């Protein structure tokens, strides 16, 4: 296809989000000679940037999420994609394309791929907001070092909770996983890894319903979900932490009014990652889907970029 000349604020394709979906899309788009800009607001890799280890991406036996994110970015850039930092405030469809407004800039694009991932779900217990950053955390890799030698609780029974527990077991003295049902959602192979760590224990059928303290947490209220009974445990102030790892909600704010959402809150796309807005594609964890993994995000990105290429080509045909 014809390579279109663009000014820095006019692009063929803008990709919002620098995770595996975004950088995979950027790689495919750049290889198809699209003038491609990725806008990322944090570390390359998105959610995986805080993952201690990725060991299920084919061909990469073990790699930290941060390293894999950097590699994906470098790969896309080596193919010709550009990336910039910025927080996208709005995405508007108009007659000739899209306007993307960031906190720094305004950019025009013929087509847009949104790959904004998902954000951590709250644990919904009393005191959660008050003690966020003062005993309540959502990221072991980010905040684990503050709990060296301390006692931590992890709420959740999925892969994230298991990963967070394994990571924190190398820092904290004592790690307890709080699972609300009598079974983990994470697969058995993953859960079995916990038994190799003597400082990890599990409380099944238990919920944390309240945290309280003064500057930091010093009491936690637990509920036994089998009996409904509650009890309070006290700790020295600052000696305890609660990590919430109960899943993620698709980050769909930017496409409100431009795309339909499914029952899980993710964007409904067609098999080409297309939305109800021509030229707008969504990829990765923000989509309504059954398996949110690096490999599925990367696949979405490749499909979306290929569809965007054909869409842009159709505009000039
Ligand atoms: P998830 O698989 O949805 O699991 C969420 C867990 O939190 C479930 O055990 C759920 O309990 C529990 N939960 C939800 N709300 C709760 C609440 N208010 N209070 C207490 N517990 C609550 O979420 P995830 O672990 O974040 O994983 C998200 C996706 O990423 C999954 O597809 C997962 O496989 C993937 N992932 C993969 C890896 C890996 O392969 N290395 C690592 C991380 C994440 P119930 O089971 O009772 O609903």
């Amino acid at each position: 296809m014809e390579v279109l000349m663009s000014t820095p604020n006019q692009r063929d394709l803008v990709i919002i989000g620098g995770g595996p979906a975004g950088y995979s899309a950027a790689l495919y788009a750049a290889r198809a000679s699209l003038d491609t800009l990725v806008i990322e607001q944090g570390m390359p890799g998105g959610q995986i940037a805080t993952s201690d280890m990725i060991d299920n991406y084919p061909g990469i036996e073990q790699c930290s999420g941060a390293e894999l994110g950097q590699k994906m970015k470098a790969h896309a850039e080596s193919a010709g994609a550009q990336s910039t930092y910025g927080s996208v405030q709005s995405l508007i469809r108009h007659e000739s394309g899209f306007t993307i407004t960031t906190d720094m800039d305004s950019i025009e694009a013929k087509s847009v791929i949104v790959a904004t991932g998902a954000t951590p779900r709250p644990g919904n217990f009393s005191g959660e907001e008050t003690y966020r950053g003062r005993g309540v955390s959502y990221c072991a890799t980010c905040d684990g070092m503050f709990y060296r030698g301390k006692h931590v609780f992890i709420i959740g029974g999925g892969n994230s909770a298991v990963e967070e527990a394994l990571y924190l077991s190398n820092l904290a003295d004592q790690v307890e996983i709080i699972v609300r049902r009598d079974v983990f959602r994470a697969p058995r192979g993953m859960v079995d890894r916990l038994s190799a760590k003597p400082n990890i224990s599990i409380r099944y059928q238990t919920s944390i319903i309240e945290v309280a303290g003064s500057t930091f947490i010093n009491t936690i209220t637990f509920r036994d979900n089998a009996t409904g009974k509650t009890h309070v445990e006290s700790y020295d102030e600052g000696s305890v932490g609660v990590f919430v790892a109960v899943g993620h909600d698709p980050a769909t704010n930017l496409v409100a009014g431009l795309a339909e959402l499914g029952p899980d809150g993710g964007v409904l796309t067609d098999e080409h990652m297309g939305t109800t807005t021509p030229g707008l594609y969504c990829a990765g964890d923000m989509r309504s889907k059954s398996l949110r993994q690096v490999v599925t995000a990367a696949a979405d990105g490749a499909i979306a970029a290929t569809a965007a290429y054909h869409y842009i080509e159709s505009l000039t045909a």
Side-chain angles (χ1 to χ4, degrees), residues 17-315:
Y23 277 118
S24 166
L27 174 65
Y28 276 72
R31 284 166 61 100
S33 295
L34 292 182
D35 174 16
T36 302
L37 177 71
V38 180
I39 304 174
E40 60 184 64
Q41 66 173 4
M43 296 245 301
Q47 291 170 82
I48 63 163
T50 57
S51 186
D52 192 32
M53 189 185 31
I54 304 290
D55 60 3
N56 56 3
Y57 190 72
I60 307 280
E61 278 184 33
Q62 283 194 356
C63 185
S64 77
E67 188 185 349
L68 187 56
Q70 290 286 358
K71 283 184 172 179
M72 288 181 173
K73 177 180 179 178
H75 195 177
E77 289 178 346
S78 74
Q82 292 182 317
S83 45
T84 186
Y85 287 97
S87 169
V88 176
Q89 311 292 313
S90 70
L91 170 65
I92 292 169
R93 178 71 160 115
H94 51 75
E95 227 169 67
S96 55
F98 296 86
T99 303
I100 302 101
T101 306
T102 74
D103 48 348
M104 330 256 279
D105 216 352
S106 181
I107 304 158
E108 296 294 314
K110 295 183 171 69
S111 177
V112 171
I113 297 174
V114 182
T116 42
T119 50
R121 216 175 269 159
N124 289 327
F125 51 88
S126 177
E128 181 174 13
E129 267 310 307
T130 309
Y131 290 96
R132 184 187 275 249
R134 295 190 289 127
V136 175
S137 169
Y138 299 81
C139 172
T141 320
C142 317
D143 300 334
M145 63 182 177
F146 300 120
Y147 296 91
R148 200 178 285 278
K150 298 182 181 176
H151 186 163
V152 297
F153 294 91
I154 296 151
I155 303 174
N159 276 323
S160 300
V162 174
E163 279 195 352
E164 301 273 89
L166 291 169
Y167 181 82
L168 287 167
S169 69
N170 295 324
L171 293 164
D173 265 6
Q174 201 178 342
V175 177
E176 294 194 62
I177 307 179
I178 307 299
V179 183
R180 68 179 175 183
R181 291 187 292 148
D182 59 355
V183 65
F184 274 86
R185 183 177 289 269
R188 175 177 288 231
M190 191 79 182
V191 178
D192 285 349
R193 289 166 60 187
L194 297 170
S195 52
K197 298 285 188 171
N199 61 341
I200 298 182
S201 55
I202 301 160
R203 296 195 202 186
Y204 287 103
Q205 290 191 285
T206 303
S207 293
I208 287 179
I209 59 168
E210 181 170 20
V211 296
S214 52
T215 306
F216 296 99
I217 293 174
N218 60 23
T219 64
I220 301 178
T221 307
F222 297 87
R223 183 182 60 219
D224 180 326
N225 293 331
T227 63
K229 285 190 178 151
T230 62
H231 76 278
V232 181
E233 293 181 13
S234 299
Y235 307 88
D236 290 339
E237 178 139 341
S239 72
V240 67
V242 174
F243 284 78
V244 183
V246 299
H248 291 79
D249 289 322
T252 59
N253 287 355
L254 281 179
V255 297
L258 298 173
E260 284 175 22
L261 303 186
D264 65 353
V267 172
L268 292 172
T269 65
D270 61 22
E271 63 176 313
H272 305 291
M273 308 298 139
T275 65
T276 46
T277 299
L280 176 66
Y281 303 87
C282 290
D285 281 9
M286 70 172 308
R287 285 181 61 227
S288 181
K289 65 198 310 197
S290 60
L291 184 62
R292 292 187 167 89
Q293 294 280 292
V294 181
V295 69
T296 60
D300 284 2
I303 295 167
T306 305
Y309 167 83
H310 290 300
Y311 172 78
I312 293 169
E313 196 178 43
S314 75
L315 297 177

